[in-house]
Amino acid sequence: MDRPDYLVQGEAARLFPVLSTTSKEGRTTSIVLACMDKVEEFGAELLGSIGQRVGKRSRMGTFTEIVFKDEKSDLRDRPDGLIVLSTGAREWRALVEAKIGNADLCADQVERYRSLAKQYRIDCVITLSNHFATVPTNHPLEEVQKSRSKIPVFHWSWMYVLTTADLLLRGGEVADVDQQILLNELVRFLTHESAGIKGFDRMPPEWSELNRLVSAGGRIPAKSREAEIVLDAWHQETRDLSLILSRQTETTVVEKLPRKHMGNSGERKKDEMKLLCGSNQLAACLQIPNAASPLEIVADIARRTIDVGMTLRAPEDKKSSKARVNWLLRQVRSDPSDEVHVRLNWPGRSEATQFPLQDLIEDPGICEQEKSGLQVLSFHLYIARRLGAKFTQQVNFIKELEEVVPLYYREIGQNLSEWRRPAPKIKPNRDVASDVSPEGLAEEAGDKSLEDE
């Protein structure tokens, strides 16, 4: 695609950019934008995440080092790139701003790019950095979310870009062999330390402060700034966890959010702040394709414990609770550690009961103690990992979390199956179509009447 006429400067994004060795952002941005242009499936997947469909008749152009006509902004303050998608007579355009390594996005800078986009009728701004966003529409900078500007700002983390490329390759979704090679080289480039791309690896200093407060018997204030910072960091980590599991399972793992939280990060933060202040807990739920149920994660500050588990509905075709427990136990294929527990949920106001998994394996009948005549409704099978002092440490907490979540899914979660009601069977006295014809039904009704007499 030729350079748009509203630019006085702009190079087509290059796979091999000729830039100074200090220009990491420019180099990485150019390579990623060039791959979006050259690898059809990669560009379509990324743009699809922000609602732009790339059809067979679409043409994409990507540019770096752009300068608009009659631009009055500071020469040192320019977007890193431009994406142009043409489909028929329609043209969609996005400014790109990227940060590498520990460089942070600046809300003021993003707002200036919004103004630039409005001036030149650009549709949106896309930011890339090592910050994580639950979905591209929920920007990690709160100031950007609260802005009154009508120009939307989307966000991709570099790890999201890397994960997207990896899934396309592992899933065999890139048809052209040469494009497969390009995308594989992009993965190799992004995973090299020189690219400046990294996952979330530590909680903020406020994490330790919050732990000290709770350990001393204090309550987290409802408007605690420290709690807000910790909650933002937790969102960064849970998104990184979903990308880690995506790469491990070679499927797309996403955070499962209530509908009211999907497009409203403020509402999500308010509800999760209530949980943090009221129960001293951080919680997340990951949706893994075709898994028996969502993966539930709870970090309990008071107990200094990480709980990871899944909830399964008990099989309704089995009458006794013992039989229902045996159905669950048959799905556990690895030797259980003393960290694994089962919580049983009962009907009505009957309180839940809980047992170490090993105890249930040795005697499934203990589940019916003091629950005579009741049938268990569901099971929560989980690991409770007590971390002690490691829980309060910024780096070790993340290391332990990123170890125990994949461990639980590998050893337990991926082997679980949800119960489904069995398919209906043809009844013995209705084997053939004539048995249920009007004549057959009439004969059956007559026989029934004689039996009643």
Side-chain angles (χ1 to χ4, degrees):
M1 179 182 287
D2 294 333
R3 186 177 72 195
D5 57 11
Y6 46 81
L7 297 181
V8 294
Q9 178 182 313
E11 295 290 328
R14 305 287 184 181
L15 286 167
F16 307 104
V18 181
L19 296 169
S20 67
T21 55
T22 58
S23 183
K24 282 187 176 182
E25 288 175 2
R27 179 184 61 177
T28 305
T29 304
S30 178
I31 293 171
V32 169
L33 290 181
C35 285
M36 286 181 65
D37 185 12
K38 304 301 181 187
V39 184
E40 297 173 9
E41 294 85 354
F42 182 57
E45 187 71 21
L46 286 178
L47 292 185
S49 72
I50 58 174
Q52 294 304 310
R53 181 179 178 275
V54 181
K56 293 188 178 296
R57 295 175 57 244
S58 300
R59 292 190 310 122
M60 189 187 304
T62 55
F63 304 89
T64 59
E65 301 179 311
I66 61 171
V67 179
F68 289 91
K69 286 182 178 179
D70 304 321
E71 188 177 334
K72 298 178 181 179
S73 60
D74 192 322
L75 291 174
R76 295 169 299 175
D77 190 21
R78 297 192 182 285
D80 293 307
L82 173 72
I83 301 172
V84 180
L85 181 66
S86 298
T87 306
R90 177 180 178 270
E91 186 172 278
W92 176 88
R93 299 175 286 180
L95 295 179
V96 177
E97 174 60 19
K99 299 294 183 185
I100 286 291
N102 295 324
D104 291 326
L105 292 167
C106 174
D108 289 342
Q109 187 180 37
V110 173
E111 289 308 303
R112 290 196 291 274
Y113 291 158
R114 273 177 153 167
S115 298
L116 194 63
K118 181 179 180 181
Q119 180 182 348
Y120 290 96
R121 297 182 180 180
I122 307 295
D123 295 276
C124 68
V125 176
I126 300 171
T127 59
L128 291 102
S129 76
N130 281 324
H131 277 76
F132 293 83
T134 304
V135 291
T137 51
N138 288 358
H139 201 275
L141 296 184
E142 190 172 351
E143 300 95 321
V144 172
Q145 295 178 29
K146 292 181 176 180
S147 170
R148 295 183 179 181
S149 173
K150 294 183 179 179
I151 301 297
V153 180
F154 304 106
H155 182 77
W156 296 327
S157 69
W158 288 114
M159 291 300 292
Y160 171 69
V161 173
L162 171 61
T163 300
T164 298
D166 183 64
L167 292 183
L168 288 171
L169 286 170
R170 302 302 163 219
E173 296 181 45
V174 180
D176 184 87
V177 175
D178 291 335
Q179 292 183 14
Q180 290 176 19
I181 295 172
L182 281 180
L183 200 57
N184 191 65
E185 288 303 303
L186 175 65
V187 170
R188 290 184 69 247
F189 169 71
L190 292 179
T191 52
H192 193 274
E193 61 181 12
S194 66
I197 293 171
K198 61 179 184 178
F200 189 82
D201 58 4
R202 67 176 56 226
M203 293 295 278
E206 289 79 5
W207 173 245
S208 300
E209 296 175 20
L210 220 61
N211 273 275
R212 282 195 293 270
L213 173 66
V214 174
S215 294
R219 292 180 59 85
I220 301 173
K223 295 184 178 181
S224 165
R225 179 58 183 159
E226 290 78 11
E228 288 185 9
I229 293 171
V230 164
L231 192 57
D232 286 339
W234 175 252
H235 291 165
Q236 295 280 311
E237 169 57 15
T238 55
R239 178 55 177 158
D240 196 18
L241 265 176
S242 71
L243 295 175
I244 290 170
L245 283 172
S246 294
R247 297 191 295 275
Q248 288 181 316
T249 61
E250 297 185 2
T251 60
T252 302
V253 178
V254 298
E255 292 184 73
K256 186 176 186 294
L257 299 176
R259 183 174 296 178
K260 68 175 182 175
H261 292 171
M262 283 300 297
N264 192 333
S265 58
E267 190 70 20
R268 178 189 181 187
K269 183 176 288 188
K270 183 176 72 173
D271 289 347
E272 293 187 4
M273 187 64 76
K274 287 181 182 178
L275 177 67
L276 178 55
C277 296
S279 303
N280 299 320
Q281 292 181 340
L282 296 164
C285 191
L286 303 183
Q287 187 77 57
I288 303 173
N290 302 316
S293 76
L295 190 65
E296 302 168 46
I297 305 164
V298 175
D300 192 307
I301 298 175
R303 293 165 48 227
R304 295 187 177 183
T305 301
I306 296 173
D307 295 341
V308 186
M310 297 170 72
T311 300
L312 299 181
R313 182 169 58 143
E316 297 171 10
D317 57 343
K318 300 187 184 303
K319 299 302 181 183
S320 72
S321 292
K322 180 180 177 180
R324 294 183 176 192
V325 166
N326 278 324
W327 169 85
L328 176 69
L329 297 179
R330 284 193 292 271
Q331 300 188 50
V332 180
R333 300 178 185 176
S334 59
D335 293 332
S337 71
D338 56 6
E339 295 180 316
V340 185
H341 303 264
V342 182
R343 184 176 300 122
L344 292 79
N345 299 307
W346 303 88
R349 296 184 178 180
S350 185
E351 293 183 353
T353 53
Q354 185 169 304
F355 303 91
L357 177 61
Q358 186 60 52
D359 289 0
L360 284 174
I361 291 174
E362 293 173 1
D363 182 9
I366 62 174
C367 71
E368 297 178 333
Q369 292 175 0
E370 300 181 4
K371 297 293 182 180
S372 177
L374 294 178
Q375 294 175 314
V376 62
L377 297 180
S378 64
F379 307 103
H380 183 64
L381 178 59
Y382 69 102
I383 282 180
R385 174 155 293 182
R386 191 175 297 277
L387 300 184
K390 285 185 178 180
F391 189 94
T392 70
Q393 297 165 0
Q394 296 168 243
V395 174
N396 282 328
F397 172 73
I398 298 299
K399 285 183 177 178
E400 292 288 336
L401 184 62
E402 292 182 357
E403 177 188 326
V404 70
V405 170
L407 170 71
Y408 172 86
Y409 188 70
R410 182 181 67 247
E411 297 298 322
I412 297 175
Q414 68 184 14
N415 299 319
L416 300 179
S417 299
E418 64 178 327
W419 177 78
R420 294 185 178 182
R421 193 175 298 278
K425 295 181 172 61
I426 291 179
K427 306 305 177 185
N429 59 337
R430 297 189 171 191
D431 286 337
V432 296
S434 59
D435 290 338
V436 292
S437 66
E439 294 80 4
L441 293 176
E443 182 178 343
E444 184 178 296
D447 292 342
K448 178 65 175 173
S449 297
L450 289 175
E451 289 176 7
D452 293 340
E453 293 176 359

